[in-house]
């Protein structure tokens, strides 16, 4: 059966749009899981702001758990895409079989580990005595549904890499729409507050997982889930290629945890919880930008991987140019919106005067260098798609180290609020370094690929 797009022959600009736009929408909708929860939680009578701070502490942990789905999903889909470009269906099928087994095992293991360690982790990562009960309630229920969350994230990569971006988008939309409907029902109608938000999220993730699983077991896809033909060598390769994007997401979670801890420490009992509430709002807004950015750079990786496998350097270079143009267009538009209408977004979370004004300021700061950040997304994901994971990982870790250093040093030198400036500083420096490295290595890497095949 022919896949919905021909990654080796269709027009590159058309391919970029057909893969990037559904992926952008899917990634945008995906962040609505947490954002919708936070909007409703922020408006719970009497406890809204404190509950929002508690769930904000959970946010980085939730992202960290989901990053394991990316570890297996993106790592395996890159290999699978290269094999599809080589017209090697047997190896592509083996990759999916091994990846499915790995997703099942890791999902179960993480569920057990985090259920037993969550209480200590929440206190380490910024929960106060007041916000801990809300954080603990949300995290307990969410962790119980970790299996569905990781499976939905991981399997969706294997739908997209076969040329089914609309089905990939549907996987996420099903969960998000379910969450939008169920959140107010469980939070307000059933009066379950934070627990209701977590239950709604778990049910929604189950729906996404079920759709992705049924799709990959069906007859529409080129490569379906099969059992057997397991290989430690294939599993290790999946982990190696997925390690770079996994580290990007995992360290994103760690630096957000660090941010919450710093704000709690330097903000003190008087301002700590308020600053974490505002950071949660600002990070929620930033996710609405960076998630579609990941959709552009990650969703189009299938084009790069396929043509890398097919030794089409000309199509790879053309694709990278088109991806970068689309990224710059999107980030420029979002930069302007960030300065024109942030009050509309903040108003969905809180009506508290001090938190409202400070959140607007925080959004202005964290989005200052969002346009240069797009260059890092495109080039790091491009290197990953062409199996250049060592360089991609180094560039990603470099940015995270800058962020972590700024997050620790700036509040020590100035005030707790100075921690928000770490985002734009890390964005601009890492964008310059990443662009330089990419331009230095790309031509040599493509020539080596061609020589290795010949």
């Amino acid at each position: 059966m022919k896949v919905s797009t021909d990654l080796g022959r269709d027009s590159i600009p058309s391919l970029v749009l057909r893969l990037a736009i559904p992926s952008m929408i899917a990634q945008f909708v995906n962040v609505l899981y947490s954002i919708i929860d936070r909007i409703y939680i922020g408006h719970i009578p009497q406890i809204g702001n404190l509950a929002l701070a508690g769930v904000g502490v959970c946010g980085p942990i939730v992202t960290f758990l989901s990053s394991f789905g990316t570890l297996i999903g993106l790592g395996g889909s890159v290999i699978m895409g290269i094999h599809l470009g080589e017209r090697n269906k047997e190896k592509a099928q083996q990759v999916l079989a091994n990846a499915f087994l790995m997703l099942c095992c890791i999902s179960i293991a993480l569920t057990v580990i985090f259920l037993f360690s969550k209480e200590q982790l929440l206190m380490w990562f910024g929960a106060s005595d007041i916000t801990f009960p809300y954080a603990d309630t949300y995290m307990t229920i969410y962790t119980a549904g970790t299996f569905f969350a990781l499976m939905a994230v991981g399997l969706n990569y294997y739908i997209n890499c076969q040329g089914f971006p609309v089905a990939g988008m549907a996987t996420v939309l099903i969960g998000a729409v379910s969450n939008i409907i169920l959140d107010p029902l469980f939070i307000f109608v059933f009066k379950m507050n934070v627990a209701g938000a977590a239950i709604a999220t778990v049910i929604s993730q189950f729906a996404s997982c079920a759709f992705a699983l049924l799709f990959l077991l069906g007859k529409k896809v080129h490569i379906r889930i099969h059992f057997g033909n397991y290989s430690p060598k294939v599993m290790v390769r999946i982990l190696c290629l997925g390690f770079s994007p996994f580290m990007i997401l995992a360290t994103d979670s760690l630096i957000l945890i660090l941010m919450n801890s710093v704000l709690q420490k330097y903000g003190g009992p008087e301002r700590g919880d308020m600053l974490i509430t505002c950071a949660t709002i600002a990070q929620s807004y930033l996710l609405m930008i960076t998630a579609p950015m990941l959709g552009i750079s990650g969703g189009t990786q299938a084009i790069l991987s396929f043509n890398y496998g097919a030794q089409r350097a000309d199509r790879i270079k053309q694709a990278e140019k088109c991806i970068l143009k689309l990224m710059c267009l999107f980030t420029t538009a979002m930069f302007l919106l960030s300065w024109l209408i942030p009050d509309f977004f903040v108003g969905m979370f809180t009506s508290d005067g001090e938190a409202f004004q400070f959140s607007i300021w925080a959004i202005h700061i964290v989005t200052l260098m969002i346009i240069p950040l797009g260059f890092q997304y495109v080039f790091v994901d491009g290197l990953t798609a062409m199996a250049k994971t060592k360089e991609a990982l180094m560039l990603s870790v470099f940015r995270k180290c800058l962020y972590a250093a700024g997050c620790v040093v700036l509040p020590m030198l100035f005030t707790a609020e100075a921690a928000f400036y770490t985002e734009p500083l890390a964005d601009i420096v890492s964008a310059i370094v990443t662009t330089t490295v990419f331009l230095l290595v790309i031509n040599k890497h493509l020539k080596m690929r061609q020589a290795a095949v010949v």
Side-chain angles (χ1 to χ4, degrees):
M1 179 182 291
K2 186 180 183 298
V3 294
S4 60
T5 55
D6 190 330
L7 299 173
R9 296 181 182 179
D10 288 354
S11 163
I12 290 294
S14 174
L15 276 175
V16 169
L17 289 176
R18 277 186 282 162
L19 268 68
I21 291 177
S23 185
M24 287 174 66
I25 295 171
Q27 289 290 341
F28 174 77
V29 172
N30 194 36
V31 304
L32 293 180
Y33 278 127
S34 59
I35 291 177
I36 290 171
D37 280 348
R38 294 171 184 180
I39 289 173
Y40 284 121
I41 288 169
H43 286 87
I44 295 175
Q46 299 179 334
I47 65 169
N49 276 357
L50 290 175
L52 184 58
V55 174
V57 173
C58 298
I61 302 175
V62 168
T63 302
F64 179 71
L65 288 170
S66 298
S67 66
F68 283 89
T70 300
L71 171 66
I72 309 302
L74 187 52
S77 66
V78 167
I79 302 171
M80 187 173 167
I82 292 174
H83 288 321
L84 289 173
E86 296 169 341
R87 308 296 178 184
N88 194 330
K89 184 176 179 180
E90 183 179 348
K91 285 188 176 180
Q93 190 167 302
Q94 183 186 28
V95 170
L96 181 54
N98 281 267
F100 182 71
L101 176 64
M102 294 170 73
L103 279 170
C104 290
C105 294
I106 289 178
S107 298
I108 294 171
L110 287 173
T111 299
V112 174
I113 292 170
F114 271 79
L115 278 175
F116 282 100
S117 61
K118 61 180 174 58
E119 293 184 11
Q120 187 62 55
L121 290 174
L122 290 172
M123 293 304 295
W124 284 347
F125 297 160
S128 66
D129 291 336
I130 299 174
T131 60
F132 175 79
Y134 306 111
D136 183 55
T137 298
Y138 188 91
M139 202 65 233
T140 300
I141 297 170
Y142 183 92
T143 304
T146 295
F147 180 88
F148 307 124
L150 265 63
M151 292 296 288
V153 171
L155 293 177
N156 208 31
Y157 283 101
Y158 296 95
I159 295 174
N160 286 323
C161 83
Q162 295 187 61
F164 291 95
V166 175
M169 178 177 67
T171 303
V172 180
L173 283 174
I174 288 170
V177 171
S178 299
N179 205 32
I180 291 171
I181 296 171
L182 294 176
D183 254 339
L185 183 65
F186 281 95
I187 294 174
F188 299 112
V189 177
F190 297 157
K191 300 185 184 303
M192 298 180 71
N193 295 336
V194 171
I199 292 172
T201 299
V202 171
I203 294 173
S204 302
Q205 289 168 338
F206 171 79
S208 292
C209 173
F211 178 84
L213 187 59
L214 290 173
F215 191 86
L216 285 172
L217 288 170
K219 297 181 179 179
K220 291 184 178 181
V221 290
H222 234 355
I223 308 297
R224 288 184 288 169
I225 294 175
H226 285 74
F227 303 94
N229 200 16
Y230 301 123
S231 166
K233 183 178 179 180
V234 172
M235 293 183 184
V236 169
R237 193 178 178 204
I238 289 173
L239 292 174
C240 288
L241 282 177
F243 189 70
S244 175
F246 164 75
M247 282 298 295
I248 294 172
L249 292 174
T251 50
D252 271 344
S253 302
L254 294 177
I255 59 180
L256 289 179
I257 290 168
L258 176 62
M259 170 71 85
N260 286 340
S261 299
V262 166
L263 293 177
Q264 189 66 253
K265 177 180 179 180
Y266 291 98
E270 300 81 12
R271 290 175 58 81
D273 288 337
M274 189 279 292
L275 289 175
I276 291 178
T277 297
C278 296
T280 301
I281 294 172
Q283 289 298 332
S284 297
Y285 182 82
L286 191 60
L287 275 174
M288 295 180 66
I289 303 175
T290 56
M293 286 169 64
L294 183 61
I296 295 173
S297 61
T300 52
Q301 283 183 311
I303 304 171
L304 303 175
S305 295
F306 186 97
N307 286 285
Y308 182 73
Q311 302 101 50
R312 291 295 307 273
D314 56 326
R315 287 176 64 81
I316 290 173
K317 292 180 180 179
Q318 185 184 3
E320 282 286 60
K321 291 178 182 178
C322 291
I323 296 166
L324 185 59
K325 288 178 182 178
L326 180 60
M327 181 69 79
C328 289
L329 181 64
F330 174 76
T331 52
T332 300
M334 294 309 297
F335 173 80
L336 294 175
L337 287 176
S338 301
W339 282 81
L340 292 173
I341 57 169
D343 51 335
F344 173 77
F345 180 83
V346 174
M348 293 191 291
F349 287 85
T350 183
S351 56
D352 179 80
E354 183 182 14
F356 184 88
Q357 293 301 323
F358 191 86
S359 296
I360 292 176
W361 174 86
I363 287 174
H364 285 162
I365 299 304
V366 300
T367 58
L368 272 174
M369 293 296 166
I370 202 68
I371 297 175
L373 181 62
F375 284 72
Q376 196 199 37
Y377 272 62
V378 171
F379 293 144
V380 167
D381 282 355
L383 290 170
T384 302
M386 291 177 280
K388 202 72 173 168
T389 53
K390 181 179 179 181
E391 288 79 359
L393 177 60
M394 290 175 61
L395 292 169
S396 299
V397 171
F398 174 72
R399 177 176 177 270
K400 300 308 187 299
C401 289
L402 283 176
Y403 192 107
C407 199
V408 172
V409 173
L410 290 180
M412 290 175 60
L413 297 177
F414 303 101
T415 62
E417 290 83 348
F420 288 90
Y421 284 98
T422 58
E423 179 76 41
L425 288 173
D427 290 349
I428 184 61
V429 174
S430 60
I432 293 171
V433 173
T434 297
T435 302
T436 302
V437 171
F438 182 85
L439 294 176
L440 289 174
V441 305
I442 184 62
N443 287 326
K444 182 180 179 181
H445 182 56
L446 292 176
K447 287 179 181 178
M448 289 177 63
R449 168 66 179 172
Q450 188 67 37
V453 173
V454 174

